[in-house]
Amino acid sequence: MMTNLFSSFDPSSSTPLLYNWLGLFVLMMLITRMSWLIPNRLNYLFVMITNTLHKEFKTLLGSSAHLGSTLFFLSLFILIVFNNFFGLFPYIFTSTSHLVMTLSLAAPIWLSFMLFGWVKNTNHMFAHLVPQSTPGVLMPFMVLIESISNMIRPGTLAVRLTANMIAGHLLMTLLGNQTASVPAILIGILLFVQVLLLLLESAVSIIQAYVFSVLATLYSSEITTH
């Protein structure tokens, strides 16, 4: 029995078996078998999704993007969406509900973009701090505001993904704890609401992975676009 509501996000309270690593291993085996087995409908669906995301990321990056850069953002999307989905299964810890995981993804990406921009496109980075048609009096304030907005980007990326994952899991935990206390006549309604919430969390898992990848793509396009 859980001691408090947030104990479901404590990895030490879960089972000692490494279901997260086992699930990722099985998933990688399922993905790589597409290269040597006869394609089926699931494979066609996966390829269609990746091709659609590739075209969208390529459009966001612009013509000045490096070749193959969309593969990085596709891999990032797949990693996040699978970790989000794994957290919906029983006895699997939701790694994306902790800032340790999300910050480990967001901070290196943001830092690499900043280092590349300031080393390769220094003038463009300085020009980006002051929007066009800014009055001279407001230029120091705009530089300060743009600098702060750039500094908090990894935090906003990480917190957005973590908060959305925690919110949905807390609702599912609250409803799940009410099963033993509600009257028998209401159990069917409660189970129906839990199924709807599970479907909503599945959609949130995809949307948040998409938002994280798109924002990372936009941050990269700001560095490379002149």
Side-chain angles (χ1 to χ4, degrees):
M1 184 176 179
M2 293 190 304
T3 57
N4 58 69
L5 185 61
F6 290 90
S7 62
S8 61
F9 302 101
D10 186 6
S12 62
S13 64
S14 59
T15 177
L17 296 179
L18 301 178
Y19 288 120
N20 289 77
W21 295 110
L22 180 62
L24 285 175
F25 175 75
V26 172
L27 180 64
M28 292 300 106
M29 293 297 294
L30 292 176
I31 291 179
T32 53
R33 77 189 186 100
M34 299 179 184
S35 302
W36 54 276
L37 289 181
I38 298 176
N40 53 28
R41 293 181 180 179
L42 183 61
N43 296 352
Y44 280 124
L45 178 62
F46 181 79
V47 171
M48 183 179 65
I49 293 174
T50 53
N51 287 337
T52 303
L53 290 175
H54 166 72
K55 294 178 182 178
E56 184 163 352
F57 291 157
K58 189 175 181 180
T59 302
L60 293 175
L61 289 172
S63 58
S64 60
H66 297 279
L67 295 177
S69 57
T70 57
L71 298 178
F72 170 76
F73 299 106
L74 279 175
S75 303
L76 182 64
F77 171 81
I78 294 172
L79 174 65
I80 296 175
V81 75
F82 285 149
N83 277 280
N84 292 345
F85 268 117
F86 283 148
L88 299 177
F89 289 92
Y91 304 109
I92 296 183
F93 175 68
T94 311
S95 58
T96 50
S97 64
H98 275 241
L99 284 175
V100 174
M101 171 69 176
T102 54
L103 271 178
S104 298
L105 291 174
I109 294 174
W110 171 82
L111 184 60
S112 61
F113 289 162
M114 287 294 103
L115 290 176
F116 178 83
W118 286 106
V119 172
K120 295 293 185 179
N121 301 324
T122 307
N123 294 332
H124 172 69
M125 295 297 293
F126 276 116
H128 187 69
L129 294 177
V130 181
Q132 293 182 355
S133 304
T134 302
V137 180
L138 297 179
M139 284 185 179
F141 299 99
M142 294 303 300
V143 171
L144 180 61
I145 293 172
E146 289 293 331
S147 300
I148 294 176
S149 66
N150 285 330
M151 294 295 294
I152 65 175
R153 279 180 176 179
T156 55
L157 273 178
V159 171
R160 180 186 292 106
L161 178 58
T162 300
N164 281 278
M165 292 284 80
I166 289 178
H169 283 69
L170 284 180
L171 288 176
M172 295 176 65
T173 303
L174 285 172
L175 291 177
N177 292 338
Q178 300 299 319
T179 305
S181 59
V182 300
I185 193 174
L186 297 179
I187 290 181
I189 299 176
L190 183 61
L191 291 177
F192 178 73
V193 174
Q194 287 180 342
V195 171
L196 291 181
L197 186 59
L198 183 62
L199 294 176
L200 177 63
E201 274 299 292
S202 301
V204 170
S205 300
I206 301 175
I207 292 172
Q208 290 306 313
Y210 175 77
V211 169
F212 193 99
S213 304
V214 166
L215 288 178
T217 306
L218 292 175
Y219 296 160
S220 174
S221 64
E222 291 182 1
I223 304 301
T224 57
T225 303
H226 296 279

